[in-house]
């Protein structure tokens, strides 16, 4: 299948066709996602928790993101891939935001970048868009500012926060974002924004009435064990499969049951010839 472009995603919104996407941080997961026909992949800074074992996403660096974006691009050469701007890469100034967004495009061959925030990052979105780089906004539960939200908490569940999210969404669209991801808000708000905005509106934990769904690969594949958010559906149990495989391997090694004949390289000369060789050294 041909690689999708931004025009395909805009057409999918118009046609009411939902976009399915996941996060991936490594070559094999990206390859499996592409083989499955995933519409797009996010190389999220959630890699900090899912892959690198940090307690949150704050320590993730540009270098971490670029290395994993490159691996994902190698695994999924025909898939639309979004590079996630890590904390500190765009908060400081419009110039830093453009400089770092450019790195995602030049060094890691990303199709666009994503950054968190609404009204307060509108000038960043405009600056990056003006540099010719497509931007996806990210509103609602924004992990990089979760401290200000009081933790990883759903929002937009009351009129006051819903109003400020509507203002944020309008600002993101006005600034030139080509799409926006809404995380962990009341589904009615997502449905409203999907109708109100011209750009595609995607959900992670924000209900079904929108232009597509994102899940974190570590959550949906049952790899990430620290906690599972309410909005996650677990489609596989990779953790259990891996632990069971490791246990069986340990047991077979200890009992000498692995390797067997099928796992070794048979000799090409006769056993007698080998014995003669060994005799020379005995
Ligand atoms: O980093 C990420 O995977 C994200 C999601 C939580 C939306 O930004």
């Amino acid at each position: 299948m041909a690689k999708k472009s931004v025009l395909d995603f805009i057409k999918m919104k118009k046609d009411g066709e939902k976009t399915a996407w996941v996060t991936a941080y490594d070559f094999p997961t990206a390859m499996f996602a592409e083989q499955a026909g995933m519409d797009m992949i996010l190389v999220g800074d959630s890699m900090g928790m899912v892959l690198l074992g940090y307690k949150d996403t704050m320590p993730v660096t540009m270098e971490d993101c670029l290395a994993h974006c490159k691996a994902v691009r190698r695994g999924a050469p025909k898939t639309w891939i979004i590079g996630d701007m890590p904390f500190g890469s765009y908060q400081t100034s419009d110039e830093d935001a453009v400089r770092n967004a450019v790195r995602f495009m030049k060094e890691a061959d990303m199709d666009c970048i994503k950054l968190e925030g609404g009204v307060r990052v509108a000038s960043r979105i405009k600056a990056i868009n003006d540099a010719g780089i497509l931007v996806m906004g990210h509103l609602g539960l924004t992990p990089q500012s979760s401290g200000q939200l009081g933790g990883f908490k759903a929002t937009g569940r009351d009129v006051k926060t819903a109003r400020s999210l509507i203002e944020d969404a309008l600002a993101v669209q006005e600034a030139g974002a080509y799409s926006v991801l809404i995380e962990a808000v009341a589904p009615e708000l997502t449905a409203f924004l999907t109708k109100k905005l011209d750009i595609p509106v995607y959900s992670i934990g924000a209900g079904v009435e929108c232009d597509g769904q994102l899940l974190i690969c570590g959550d949906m594949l049952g790899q990430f064990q620290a906690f599972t958010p309410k909005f996650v559906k677990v489609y596989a149990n990779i953790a259990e499969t891996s632990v069971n495989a490791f246990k069986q391997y340990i047991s077979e090694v200890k009992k000498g049951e692995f390797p067997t004949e099928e796992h070794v390289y048979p000799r090409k000369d006769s056993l007698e010839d080998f014995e003669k060789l060994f005799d020379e050294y005995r």
Side-chain angles (χ1 to χ4, degrees), residues 23 25 42-47 57 84 114 116 138 143 181 183 204 214 216:
T23 64
Y25 321 107
L42 169 68
V43 189
D45 67 347
S46 51
M47 73 177 70
T57 59
D84 202 13
K114 173 174 89 55
E116 298 181 6
H138 180 174
L181 171 68
E183 179 165 355
I204 176 164
L214 166 69
I216 306 286

Side-chain angles (χ1 to χ4, degrees), residues 40 81-82 94 132 174 188-189 219 246 256 264 275:
M40 53 190 193
I81 305 180
I82 303 139
D94 289 357
E174 176 66 24
E188 293 79 3
L189 176 58
D219 290 336
F246 288 152
V264 297
E275 284 301 339

Side-chain angles (χ1 to χ4, degrees), residues 138-143 149 151-158 161-162 165 181-190 193 202-207 210 213-215 229-232:
H138 180 174
L139 298 171
L141 195 180
T142 41
L149 297 170
F152 292 123
K153 290 204 175 1
T155 179
R157 300 169 76 196
D158 54 77
T161 55
L165 283 168
L181 171 68
I182 314 280
E183 179 165 355
V185 308
E188 293 79 3
L189 176 58
T190 311
L193 290 174
Y202 304 118
S203 149
I204 176 164
C210 61
Q213 295 293 328
L214 166 69
L215 279 179
K230 173 183 161 65
F231 59 75
V232 170

Side-chain angles (χ1 to χ4, degrees), residues 62 83-86 89-105 111-116 121-137 175-178:
M62 273 301 292
D84 202 13
M85 298 196 69
S89 68
Y90 62 95
Q91 282 80 0
T92 37
S93 68
D94 289 357
E95 288 71 24
D96 286 347
V98 174
R99 189 176 312 112
N100 285 315
V102 164
R103 292 192 69 193
F104 276 96
M105 313 307 283
D111 293 298
C112 70
I113 59 89
K114 173 174 89 55
L115 52 74
E116 298 181 6
V121 297
S123 73
R124 309 285 191 269
I125 295 174
K126 184 174 182 325
I128 296 170
N129 191 50
D130 285 350
I133 297 170
L134 288 162
V135 181
M136 177 185 283
Y178 85 96

